[in-house]
Amino acid sequence: MVDDEGARESDFDWRVPASIPLPVEPVDNPMTEAKFQLGRHLFYDTRLSVNGEISCASCHHQSKAFSDGIQRPVGATGEVHPRNSQSLTNSAYFNNLTWGNPALATIEQQIMLPLFGDNPIEHGIDESNFEQIIMTVQADETYQRLFLNAFPEQDDPLLGDLAWDNVVKAIGSFVRGMTSFNSAFDRGDLSASARRGEALFNSERLECFHCHDGYNFSDATIDRGVAFLEPKFHNTGLYNIDGMGAYPEPNTGRHEVTGNPDHMGQFRTPSLRNVAVTAPYNHDGSVATLEEVIRNYARGGRVIASGENAGDGRISPFKDGVLVPFRISDAEVDDLVAFLESLTDHDFLVDPRFSNPWESTGENL
Ligand code: HEC
Ligand code: HEC
């Protein structure tokens, strides 16, 4: 829902151009600069993990638009995550979070998973260690100051369960503040090749714009002007391992959560902002380059010739009807890639506002 009241109360500077609507703010966690700055410290702090080795930034690197450049990341205790680390570009604008989960409506809900989840273990915080971990936070003078600034209405924002609630709210505020709308595309500064790529992207032949639509290049975009959005998920024909459309476990997408057989292989449309720096691609990082992504669409799905995931995604019964094969020349592939590259906001990748605040002191890296 649109939260007019929270929106009015918040004095947060979103750094979003006037042409773009502002994101929705949760009623119980309106944006403030103080929470954003506290969240920034927590995001980069490896002390928030079972063995002091993992922070959010371990899998979300600013230089890669907060993705990590590898196929699938490894959590604190060595468990491999089944999916590719997502970019955090404009997370505030998604109707539902993660690759394929329709149940995660807010960033705060999503953050509980890496912090406290055990399937897979990421930060590895649980009942056996959370008191000790919060004690190290409580003992830190920087945090004492930052928590008081961020939660001025609370007498002791670092006390007991409240402290964890505040941790989640602050990290949520930092991630929500990661807006990115300053690419060459936004400035209207496209090369001739990128301009041809843009026309291809928006053509009825390629159909990209049907799902990657609007200012955030995703049909799962929500903002203050949108009261309600039907959840939208699509199967893009990446797998068909049993001839009946199956995706490899556990990455069956929306189906993994709903159990509905019709939801097999359905994923949320990712934004394409900053996509040129977030390789490898797709929900499991199984596609190495943008060119390969485009070739899979051109074929009308991916064909895997051998191995345990062998199958012809082109003939999957679950593939979205919009996706039909198209012919594309090598020069046109180059143009489309040039267009996707024009969506990179180079300032976002180096903006000190989103960088590691501990770095100047060398602590807790
Ligand atoms: C071990 C690597 C790892 C760590 C640590 C990690 N993440 Fe992630 N993150 C991922 C992966 C993988 C996904 C995709 C999850 C999925 O689809 O199930 C993801 C997804 C997300 C998303 C959803 C983005 C979107 O577009 O929907 C957000 C937000 C996020 N992470 C924030 C965080 C924050 C904040 C932290 C620290 C509390 C964190 N992550 C720690 C790997 C990690
Ligand atoms: C039917 C909806 C739909 C259409 C049409 C579509 N996409 Fe996608 N796109 C998706 C979904 C859903 C995913 C994620 C699929 C997955 O990983 O299983 C995706 C993933 C991608 C990715 C990988 C992003 C990442 O972060 O890993 C790129 C790049 C991409 N699409 C570009 C395009 C281009 C270019 C076109 C036109 C040729 C196109 N898409 C057409 C829905 C669509």
Side-chain angles (χ1 to χ4, degrees):
M1 279 300 295
V2 182
D3 169 27
D4 281 324
E5 208 161 297
R8 261 199 304 278
E9 279 167 17
S10 157
D11 60 351
F12 187 71
D13 179 1
W14 285 96
R15 292 163 163 79
V16 167
S19 56
I20 307 279
L22 291 179
V24 180
E25 285 177 67
V27 188
D28 64 350
N29 192 23
M31 288 294 278
T32 66
E33 183 65 18
K35 268 190 279 187
F36 175 94
Q37 291 299 345
L38 169 60
R40 180 177 162 215
H41 284 77
L42 294 162
F43 184 93
Y44 284 98
D45 195 338
T46 56
R47 288 175 296 180
L48 288 185
S49 67
V50 53
N51 49 13
E53 286 180 13
I54 287 274
S55 73
C56 308
S58 304
C59 304
H60 298 288
H61 308 178
Q62 183 179 9
S63 62
K64 296 184 162 62
F66 295 98
S67 65
D68 62 6
I70 58 174
Q71 196 169 350
R72 292 176 303 144
V74 181
T77 59
E79 277 187 42
V80 178
H81 199 296
R83 285 173 290 280
N84 180 245
S85 298
Q86 287 176 295
S87 164
L88 303 183
T89 304
N90 297 333
S91 295
Y93 287 94
F94 281 116
N95 189 44
N96 42 275
L97 281 299
T98 72
W99 283 104
N101 192 332
L104 297 172
T106 68
I107 293 172
E108 287 76 5
Q109 287 171 340
Q110 195 283 326
I111 287 174
M112 303 294 279
L113 295 182
L115 285 178
F116 308 111
D118 59 5
N119 182 26
I121 292 177
E122 294 176 70
H123 291 241
I125 303 172
D126 61 23
E127 278 175 18
S128 72
N129 59 36
F130 76 87
E131 265 175 51
Q132 205 184 337
I133 290 173
I134 208 68
M135 273 163 60
T136 51
V137 174
Q138 285 161 346
D140 185 300
E141 284 178 16
T142 306
Y143 277 132
Q144 290 166 10
R145 182 173 49 78
L146 290 169
F147 271 82
L148 283 173
N149 281 345
F151 301 99
E153 71 287 1
Q154 298 173 12
D155 292 337
D156 188 351
L158 270 163
L159 196 69
D161 288 349
L162 189 60
W164 279 115
D165 191 42
N166 290 338
V167 164
V168 170
K169 284 182 168 151
I171 301 178
S173 301
F174 178 57
V175 173
R176 188 167 287 113
M178 290 180 180
T179 55
S180 170
F181 295 103
N182 190 21
S183 63
F185 166 79
D186 295 296
R187 293 189 300 271
D189 183 18
L190 298 189
S191 67
S193 170
R195 218 169 275 288
R196 290 191 298 269
E198 181 183 26
L200 286 165
F201 187 87
N202 291 316
S203 70
E204 295 293 340
R205 170 158 55 116
L206 268 64
E207 304 277 17
C208 313
F209 70 101
H210 267 289
C211 305
H212 298 281
D213 71 344
Y215 60 84
N216 202 34
F217 297 90
S218 165
D219 58 6
T221 303
I222 191 160
D223 58 47
R224 288 184 199 181
V226 184
F228 175 76
L229 195 68
E230 278 298 334
K232 290 186 188 133
F233 293 86
H234 311 274
N235 178 313
T236 61
L238 286 176
Y239 293 101
N240 181 4
I241 54 178
D242 60 353
M244 284 152 59
Y247 271 46
E249 296 282 345
N251 290 331
T252 58
R254 186 189 194 185
H255 163 271
E256 184 189 351
V257 180
T258 64
N260 181 339
D262 292 342
H263 295 165
M264 175 56 72
Q266 288 189 351
F267 291 86
R268 186 196 73 190
T269 309
S271 170
L272 298 179
R273 287 187 171 275
N274 296 322
V275 74
V277 300
T278 68
Y281 299 107
N282 288 120
H283 63 270
D284 54 3
S286 60
V287 178
T289 63
L290 287 174
E291 172 170 353
E292 211 180 316
V293 173
I294 294 167
R295 302 250 181 232
N296 285 334
Y297 281 119
R299 276 183 215 103
R302 178 167 63 180
V303 183
I304 301 177
S306 60
E308 54 177 353
N309 293 330
D312 188 346
R314 297 174 303 182
I315 53 170
S316 163
F318 299 112
K319 198 182 72 172
D320 197 291
V322 169
L323 296 165
V324 289
F326 53 84
R327 267 179 303 139
I328 186 165
S329 70
D330 290 349
E332 286 175 326
V333 170
D334 290 347
D335 289 342
L336 189 50
V337 169
F339 172 62
L340 295 174
E341 285 170 347
S342 81
L343 304 179
T344 304
D345 174 349
H346 292 279
D347 292 342
F348 181 71
L349 310 181
V350 294
D351 190 339
R353 182 166 172 73
F354 304 117
S355 67
N356 186 343
W358 304 101
E359 215 140 56
S360 49
T361 58
E363 287 175 78
N364 308 317
L365 293 178

